[in-house]
Amino acid sequence: MLWDVLPTGKQPGGAPLNVAVHLHNFGAEALIISRVGRDDLGAELLDFVAAKGISTDYVQQGETHLTGVVKANVSDNNEVVYKIVQPVAWDYIQYDAALGELVAEAHAFVFGSLVARSPASRDTLYQLLEHAGLKVFDVNFRAPHYSREVVTYLLQQADVVKLNHHELAEITDWFGAPAAEATALPWLAERFGLQAVCVTKGADGAALWTGGQLYQSAGRPVTVQDTIGSGDSFLAALLTGRLAGEQPADYLAFACAAGALVATYQGATPAITAAQVRALAAAPAA
């Protein structure tokens, strides 16, 4: 939960925050666990979350570290480059029993790899995973803020994994596994006992392995403003459909349309609706 600093100004961001906002957009009750500084930027973020209709009850406030800031370079519309300040407040998320109870009661617990860069938040994440039901791992490689050891552990804990094609190539390379998605996705699922694994490919759509079957969905033809938050809206849409019991081919197409729609806006959390996404999903594929 942080600020993305763009040439046009600052925007609320952080993958878990973005996913929570889009889950809310699609009709789910989403809560976020994070930490901000007791500073002006933290107060602004809390106000933003509350204005989006999401509770801030589980967002901690700290005196010692400032609210997170990321400098985003969007010179390439399709590949955003991030400089992530460290240490900041979300590196020090503290565990308590109320968080464990919250996670235990949730239909799904979504977590990323970036929060595990610091020992304090990593330990909290590991404790929360012990309470979680459906564990959804949003792989989010931001060099140098990840390690093979930690990512492997998180894959072992996960039930559902979402990653992009660059991350899939790196992970399969670690293990000397097949790189082509048609073989890499089932390999990952078997290796780590996953219910589902999904790879996003930007304008080329996405592929999903679940239930012993590979599903493909093409990208949607849109005019890209920036891709910040596209993967997060994709995950929110994918999870919304999966939890609702929809067919994999349907919720994969819905997710691809959600990611494409967000790319037509500047910033990660435009106020899109499920109806808008469905309309784009029904449009001709790229």
Side-chain angles (χ1 to χ4, degrees):
M1 183 169 167
L2 47 79
W3 289 99
D4 284 322
V5 180
L6 311 173
T8 52
K10 70 182 192 300
Q11 297 276 354
L17 172 60
N18 299 340
V19 172
V21 169
H22 287 297
L23 281 167
H24 182 78
N25 286 342
F26 301 143
E29 180 186 2
L31 295 166
I32 182 165
I33 299 169
S34 192
R35 189 177 182 92
V36 297
R38 203 174 294 277
D39 50 31
D40 290 345
L41 288 178
E44 280 190 74
L45 267 183
L46 292 173
D47 288 345
F48 170 82
V49 172
K52 289 291 187 180
I54 298 172
S55 171
T56 59
D57 289 350
Y58 302 96
V59 180
Q60 302 166 6
Q61 290 182 274
E63 303 283 354
T64 310
H65 296 90
L66 298 175
T67 298
V69 172
V70 172
K71 296 173 183 177
N73 183 342
V74 292
S75 57
D76 181 343
N77 279 349
N78 295 308
E79 291 292 342
V80 182
V81 178
Y82 300 92
K83 181 180 180 182
I84 306 173
V85 176
Q86 183 181 23
V88 291
W90 58 260
D91 287 310
Y92 296 91
I93 301 169
Q94 304 298 307
Y95 178 83
D96 63 45
L99 295 185
E101 292 171 8
L102 178 72
V103 169
E105 293 170 359
H107 288 101
F109 177 53
V110 182
F111 60 97
S113 49
L114 184 56
V115 75
R117 72 177 182 175
S118 69
S121 289
R122 182 168 64 242
D123 288 348
T124 297
L125 173 60
Y126 286 6
Q127 290 181 77
L128 292 175
L129 285 168
E130 295 176 5
H131 297 275
L134 183 70
K135 292 172 276 195
V136 182
F137 180 20
D138 181 15
V139 179
N140 207 346
F141 286 176
R142 299 285 182 256
H145 304 288
Y146 65 95
S147 70
R148 173 175 172 172
E149 177 186 7
V150 169
V151 171
T152 299
Y153 179 79
L154 295 177
L155 287 168
Q156 292 167 341
Q157 295 297 307
D159 300 306
V160 175
V161 170
K162 186 226 99 181
L163 71 176
N164 66 33
H165 58 294
H166 299 302
E167 293 156 348
L168 178 64
E170 184 165 349
I171 290 172
T172 54
D173 185 60
W174 289 348
F175 298 99
E181 64 192 41
T183 46
L185 298 188
W187 178 87
L188 266 178
E190 183 176 359
R191 171 71 173 76
F192 294 104
L194 304 172
Q195 296 177 22
V197 56
C198 185
V199 59
T200 58
K201 300 177 287 183
D204 294 325
L208 169 70
W209 176 267
T210 189
Q213 189 170 341
L214 182 68
Y215 299 87
Q216 300 268 6
S217 183
R220 300 285 132 186
V222 296
T223 301
V224 175
Q225 292 294 321
D226 70 52
T227 56
I228 297 174
S230 288
D232 305 324
S233 61
F234 176 97
L235 178 57
L238 191 82
L239 192 53
T240 298
R242 187 174 179 88
L243 290 175
E246 296 176 7
Q247 292 300 309
D250 294 333
Y251 65 72
L252 181 62
F254 180 72
C256 284
L261 183 60
V262 167
T264 67
Y265 294 85
Q266 286 191 335
T269 51
I272 63 172
T273 66
Q276 287 176 291
V277 175
R278 291 191 189 96
L280 182 57

